[in-house]
Amino acid sequence: MRALITNFVFKILKIITLIIFIYPSSVAFGAVSSFVDDIDVPNNTNKGQNSPSGITFNPDGTRMFIAGFSANRVIQYTLSTPFDISEATFLTNSFCNIGGEALDGTNIEFNSDGTKFFLTDMADDDVEIYSLTTAYDISTCVSQGNKSFTLDSSPNLRAITFSNDGKNIYLLDRASNGHVFQYSLSSPYDLSNETLVKNFSPSGGGLIANGGDVRGIKFSSDGSKMYITTGLGDTINEYSLSTPFNLAGTVTYAGSYNTSEELTQVWGITFNTDGSKMFIMDYDTNKPSDVHEYNLSCGFGVVKCIDPTKNKDDVASIEAQSETTKKLIQHTTYPVINRMEWLRRNSGRVNLTNQNIKFQIDNEIFNALSESLIPIYFSNDGNNGSNLNNSTWSFWSEGTISIGTTGDTNQSSSKDINASAITFGADKKGEDNIMRGIALRFGTDDVDVGDLGSALDMNSFSLTFYESKPRGEQRFTDNLIGLSFINSDLINNSGSASTDGERHGEQLYGSLSLRDTFSRNRLNFTPKIKINYGITHLGAYTETGATGLNLKYDDQYIGNFTSSLGTSLDNTYDFKVGSFIPYFDFEYYADMSPSSQQEFSYSSNGESFTLKNINNATHNIMGAIGFDFISENGLTLMTKYTRNQSQGNKNDNFNIALDYRGSQRSSYAMSIQDTSAKLSHNKELNNFKINIDSHYDLFSDEPDYGVYFKITNVN
């Protein structure tokens, strides 16, 4: 019985605790980590401000500007340490005299390059415009007139701010319990032509309705949060926007932070570029007013941290990593599949003769495998046959360029994808009539995300083993398996704050296909079915560059499984100079990959987020057209254009393969030493020695690759 009573009392106390500490909307949720410092603003007699109200900084945080509604001037400070007000120096004789235009200048905002600033005039309820001869030097100000807006019937204009691109202006009006007016501008920071977007009333946010004494307004750098300060209650009220910088969408009150313990009358508000610091203008009639500096445990997290899963560019950057690694399987297997298709189309053609090959592995990791790999794939039996049906080695290479776009969605920004790669391969027909080969691919993928400069740059090195096995005269099964190593550089740009990171990964992939050719004269019809599969591991990493907005990403595993059904059509035309073989491919493939998810958190406070159900389009079609040209002197050219299309996504691939099939002796040398892969080709041709050398650093932080070409006279 005593245990039951004790348990009941404990539950009651737990409920009371939750009510006290969680339920009130005015209680901060722990995002504001600490009050740091404050500095006094000099009064009017010292060419300062008796009634300071507005505050802002230049982008690099080396200058601070303060406006007020009694001294008829805008004053400025220099900061030896960016955004550290303890290092601020007041420039006594460096100010802008606004007495002739603005009687009560309450709030100040600059354009993007600092050549203009805008001042809200509480007395005339308009916006004063000033140009600056020297950017962000307030002492060089020149009045450019004013602009009146249609606000409430009895306006009381308090504050101004802009969207990042300057195409939207927001005016904070005290009348009618406080309103925010959003206007769109025809040109950035041009107030001559405006259109009302939304008259937003924040009174439903609880404390703002307390007399409507709104005083300052600011947005987070990504536009997902809006902050409004109120004098009655001395609170900072936070709102979440469903669409960045758009009050016409859904605006949700997130809560408020009470500053009454530190401030007397809260006015203007601003942040540093990454939102790790917040600055509040405190107006006090009984003592010098001051600027208060706060540390935030996560970027712009006055009440709650910004949810990265609600940011379209953040979501697009995460999707880009998943989608690019899945596309990597396609881009890696395409050249190998193209090679096996080429072998089918040209099974009776002249092959390379009497090739010499050397393979050297000096890397300790690969050296352990060399004894088993070299005898199987790189031995030379010395046969001098002249047909693909013999057991001599054939060598090939293929270059690929891929261009793709993914459209903008409600959850994700658009993505522009550019990829390029070079593939080297060697294959040989064994005694069992099975063509076996190995291919090396070096590729780069560049993805531009959104419009603010976010990007993904991925370098990859892939090793693929493949075989084409006959199941009859015209039926083949094509199999391949491979391993890729991935190194990615990531940039995430919110417009005013930028982060970067480096991520490594590995990928295991494979493909299985069955094709059967039906021939009539020289026309070949080849239906085929194919399955691609793979798994990718992307390692954990932490962003750098923006203290408050840096994210820490956990390990991610991405599964890949696609099946396709398609057909090929080709025909052969013989001419005096060689053979021309045009062909056409069509495939429908379904992406049945399991959805993946990415877990991440802010590196500063550990608050976790999860982006779920990351996947590509489930239905895709592919069409390709190309040709082979084989000259009588042994020169082979293969080109192919491929279009992959799904709803909202498209990807174009351009493939070109060159091969010289002469009768002179050739030698190939391949080596992997430390982190560098090298390929060398030597050929004697008409008393000339042709040498081609290439190298590629597999895991370098910076791209390191090169190709060298040399011709010397043997005599």
Side-chain angles (χ1 to χ4, degrees):
M1 184 68 174
R2 180 178 296 177
L4 290 174
I5 295 174
T6 301
N7 188 46
F8 177 78
V9 172
F10 177 79
K11 289 182 179 180
I12 294 295
L13 292 174
K14 187 176 180 180
I15 293 172
I16 293 173
T17 302
L18 291 173
I19 293 173
I20 293 174
F21 291 101
I22 298 178
Y23 181 77
S25 61
S26 62
V27 175
F29 296 99
V32 176
S33 63
S34 63
F35 166 72
V36 178
D37 202 356
D38 65 78
I39 60 168
D40 292 340
V41 179
N43 57 35
N44 190 29
T45 59
N46 294 319
K47 299 183 180 181
Q49 282 284 358
N50 284 340
S51 307
S53 52
I55 179 174
T56 192
F57 292 82
N58 66 340
D60 65 9
T62 57
R63 291 208 174 211
M64 179 174 66
F65 309 91
I66 293 176
F69 51 88
S70 69
N72 295 328
R73 66 169 61 95
V74 178
I75 62 177
Q76 60 183 340
Y77 293 74
T78 61
L79 288 76
S80 57
T81 301
F83 296 107
D84 185 354
I85 63 173
S86 67
E87 303 282 338
T89 301
F90 175 53
L91 303 180
T92 307
N93 297 310
S94 186
F95 58 87
C96 177
N97 191 338
I98 61 172
E101 299 84 24
L103 298 177
D104 290 331
T106 55
N107 198 269
I108 181 175
E109 196 77 7
F110 285 85
N111 66 347
S112 57
D113 62 6
T115 58
K116 284 186 179 181
F117 76 86
F118 306 85
L119 192 72
T120 50
D121 186 356
M122 189 170 60
D124 295 331
D125 292 313
D126 57 19
V127 177
E128 301 290 338
I129 307 169
Y130 295 83
S131 64
L132 300 177
T133 306
T134 303
Y136 296 107
D137 185 354
I138 212 75
S139 66
T140 65
C141 66
V142 178
S143 175
Q144 300 296 316
N146 59 56
K147 169 67 177 181
S148 296
F149 291 82
T150 304
L151 304 176
D152 292 310
S153 57
S154 301
N156 193 326
L157 190 59
R158 290 296 183 86
I160 181 176
T161 193
F162 292 89
S163 58
N164 285 343
D165 59 6
K167 293 183 177 182
N168 285 276
I169 184 175
Y170 310 85
L171 300 173
L172 184 64
D173 183 18
R174 183 185 178 186
S176 303
N177 288 329
H179 282 244
V180 181
F181 291 84
Q182 178 184 346
Y183 294 88
S184 63
L185 307 176
S186 57
S187 300
Y189 303 101
D190 182 1
L191 309 190
S192 61
N193 189 6
E194 82 286 353
T195 302
L196 180 64
V197 176
K198 181 68 176 181
N199 177 0
F200 173 73
S201 174
S203 58
L207 295 179
I208 283 186
N210 193 3
D213 191 19
V214 293
R215 295 183 173 182
I217 183 172
K218 200 71 177 178
F219 286 85
S220 60
S221 61
D222 65 351
S224 66
K225 289 184 177 293
M226 178 176 66
Y227 309 89
I228 299 177
T229 62
T230 60
L232 298 179
D234 293 315
T235 58
I236 304 164
N237 301 272
E238 182 178 304
Y239 296 83
S240 298
L241 282 67
S242 60
T243 304
F245 294 107
N246 188 3
L247 299 181
T250 303
V251 181
T252 306
Y253 174 65
S256 63
Y257 177 77
N258 195 316
T259 65
S260 58
E261 292 186 4
E262 302 98 24
L263 282 74
T264 302
Q265 291 191 53
V266 59
W267 270 87
I269 179 174
T270 193
F271 301 86
N272 66 341
T273 47
D274 65 9
S276 60
K277 289 187 176 185
M278 176 178 66
F279 304 88
I280 301 294
M281 192 70 252
D282 181 22
Y283 168 52
D284 194 338
T285 57
N286 299 318
K287 62 179 183 179
S289 301
D290 39 31
V291 179
H292 287 247
E293 177 185 333
Y294 294 83
N295 281 339
L296 305 181
S297 60
C298 58
F300 300 97
V302 176
V303 176
K304 294 182 178 180
C305 296
I306 294 175
D307 186 352
T309 66
K310 306 299 183 183
N311 184 288
K312 294 179 65 174
D313 278 9
D314 287 341
V315 172
S317 294
I318 296 172
E319 289 180 346
Q321 297 181 57
S322 176
E323 293 170 2
T324 304
T325 56
K326 294 180 71 174
K327 288 289 185 184
L328 178 61
I329 294 179
Q330 283 187 345
H331 295 165
T332 302
T333 58
Y334 273 170
V336 178
I337 293 173
N338 289 340
R339 171 63 177 178
M340 290 188 285
E341 290 283 350
W342 186 93
L343 291 173
R344 177 193 61 80
R345 290 193 301 268
N346 301 278
S347 59
R349 300 289 166 181
V350 175
N351 190 23
L352 292 172
T353 61
N354 197 22
Q355 301 294 330
N356 297 322
I357 189 165
K358 305 171 185 177
F359 191 76
Q360 179 184 359
I361 302 178
D362 294 325
N363 182 282
E364 293 183 359
I365 298 176
F366 290 96
N367 194 49
L369 302 174
S370 64
E371 292 184 359
S372 60
L373 293 179
I374 293 176
I376 297 175
Y377 293 100
F378 293 93
S379 61
N380 189 345
D381 59 10
N383 290 338
N384 295 321
S386 60
N387 194 284
L388 285 175
N389 293 319
N390 64 37
S391 57
T392 59
W393 279 97
S394 291
F395 298 90
W396 58 275
S397 63
E398 182 171 316
T400 307
I401 298 175
S402 178
I403 303 171
T405 59
T406 301
D408 186 271
T409 68
N410 292 331
Q411 293 79 34
S412 174
S413 301
S414 62
K415 297 178 282 290
D416 295 321
I417 307 164
N418 295 280
S420 59
I422 182 72
T423 303
F424 302 98
D427 45 44
K428 177 181 179 181
K429 179 169 288 189
E431 295 180 356
D432 51 5
N433 269 344
I434 299 176
M435 183 69 74
R436 296 184 176 94
I438 186 172
L440 292 174
R441 179 187 184 271
F442 309 98
T444 62
D445 292 77
D446 299 325
V447 184
D448 294 326
V449 177
D451 301 320
L452 299 178
S454 298
L456 163 68
D457 296 326
M458 187 180 78
N459 296 316
S460 59
F461 163 70
S462 305
L463 179 66
T464 306
F465 297 92
Y466 61 94
E467 70 170 20
S468 182
K469 182 182 293 185
R471 300 290 184 179
E473 187 173 344
Q474 298 282 3
R475 183 176 298 171
F476 295 85
T477 57
D478 298 331
N479 312 295
L480 64 87
I481 189 169
L483 179 67
S484 294
F485 299 94
I486 302 168
N487 182 46
S488 300
D489 293 319
L490 302 110
I491 299 174
N492 196 354
N493 199 334
S494 64
S496 59
S498 181
T499 65
D500 54 69
E502 184 176 340
R503 194 172 203 181
H504 303 279
E506 308 82 33
Q507 184 178 80
L508 181 67
Y509 57 89
S511 177
L512 173 64
S513 61
L514 173 65
R515 49 190 169 89
D516 198 354
T517 300
F518 302 91
S519 302
R520 184 170 183 176
N521 296 325
R522 293 193 169 190
L523 181 65
N524 298 310
F525 172 71
T526 307
K528 50 191 174 182
I529 186 171
K530 180 173 64 179
I531 295 175
N532 285 338
Y533 52 91
I535 185 167
T536 304
H537 166 250
L538 297 179
Y541 77 101
T542 301
E543 295 176 334
T544 59
T547 304
L549 297 174
N550 291 332
L551 293 172
K552 181 180 180 181
Y553 290 81
D554 295 344
D555 291 82
Q556 184 184 5
Y557 293 90
I558 305 164
N560 182 78
F561 186 84
T562 62
S563 62
S564 67
L565 182 66
T567 185
S568 295
L569 191 68
D570 65 82
N571 201 355
T572 301
Y573 301 90
D574 290 328
F575 303 95
K576 290 183 178 181
V577 294
S579 298
F580 180 74
I581 308 173
Y583 59 89
F584 170 79
D585 292 340
F586 178 82
E587 276 185 44
Y588 163 80
Y589 62 97
D591 188 349
M592 298 175 287
S593 306
S595 296
S596 63
Q597 65 181 37
Q598 177 65 72
E599 296 181 353
F600 49 97
S601 61
Y602 282 102
S603 60
S604 55
N605 73 345
E607 182 174 353
S608 299
F609 304 89
T610 302
L611 184 64
K612 298 181 178 180
N613 301 322
I614 307 171
N615 205 351
N616 289 341
T618 57
H619 300 284
N620 307 263
I621 58 173
M622 184 276 289
I625 187 171
F627 66 87
D628 301 333
F629 176 76
I630 304 176
S631 69
E632 290 297 322
N633 63 1
L635 178 65
T636 299
L637 170 67
M638 188 278 287
T639 63
K640 187 176 184 179
Y641 165 73
T642 307
R643 162 62 69 93
N644 289 282
Q645 186 76 52
S646 61
Q647 187 175 2
N649 305 323
K650 63 179 181 180
N651 189 266
D652 296 306
N653 291 276
F654 304 88
N655 302 74
I656 184 169
L658 291 170
D659 194 7
Y660 182 74
R661 313 175 68 78
S663 60
Q664 287 76 12
R665 290 181 68 89
S666 298
S667 65
Y668 293 78
M670 187 183 302
S671 68
I672 300 176
Q673 185 172 2
D674 296 327
T675 64
S676 183
K678 298 180 179 180
L679 182 68
S680 178
H681 174 53
N682 296 279
K683 178 180 285 292
E684 292 184 9
L685 181 65
N686 297 330
N687 296 324
F688 288 93
K689 185 177 181 181
I690 303 173
N691 177 251
I692 301 175
D693 290 303
S694 64
H695 76 270
Y696 186 89
D697 198 310
L698 306 180
F699 305 107
S700 174
D701 294 338
E702 300 292 333
D704 184 8
Y705 49 84
V707 179
Y708 310 91
F709 184 80
K710 183 179 180 181
I711 300 178
T712 56
N713 194 317
V714 179
N715 298 327

